Amino acid sequence: MEITGITSYLLISFFLFLAGLLTVVSKRNIIGIFMGIELVLNSAALNFAAFSRLTARNLEGQMVSLFVIVLAAAEAAIALALLLAIYKRYRDINADNLTTLKW
């Protein structure tokens, strides 16, 4: 059984981060922007788990990864609530149309 090195995990994490960053920058739709943020958070969780596996001393990296997953779930719930409020107010979810801070 061959153990995969840390480099492959870091490359996958880098490509996840890059895809998330490009999604956040290029999308005008709020749902697409939140999906990009989720990719960035998953990239960070993968890094924590990979470095925890590399050190193999304790489970701190896995615990932080679990915390990042819980954080992403909470972010998705709050994003859905905000998205519904924005759609109710403006009848559109295009991020370019959201220029006012007052409701």
Side-chain angles (χ1 to χ4, degrees):
M1 181 173 151
E2 183 178 327
I3 298 175
T4 308
I6 191 77
T7 307
S8 59
Y9 290 113
L10 292 179
L11 281 174
I12 292 170
S13 177
F14 172 71
F15 287 125
L16 273 176
F17 182 80
L18 190 64
L21 187 66
L22 289 175
T23 303
V24 168
V25 171
S26 66
K27 293 290 182 184
R28 292 179 181 211
N29 190 338
I30 295 176
I31 296 173
I33 293 171
F34 284 127
M35 287 174 56
I37 293 171
E38 293 288 331
L39 282 174
V40 170
L41 287 174
N42 286 332
S43 169
L46 181 62
N47 275 338
F48 283 124
F51 281 113
S52 177
R53 183 174 182 225
L54 178 70
T55 59
R57 285 184 276 191
N58 47 23
L59 297 176
E60 289 176 0
Q62 282 92 354
M63 294 304 292
V64 173
S65 294
L66 185 62
F67 179 72
V68 168
I69 291 170
V70 169
L71 179 72
E75 181 257 339
I78 293 171
L80 180 62
L82 287 173
L83 184 67
L84 289 174
I86 289 170
Y87 184 75
K88 184 178 178 182
R89 169 82 170 146
Y90 294 106
R91 298 284 182 218
D92 191 18
I93 56 172
N94 190 357
D96 290 339
N97 295 338
L98 305 175
T99 57
T100 61
L101 293 177
K102 292 184 180 180
W103 288 72

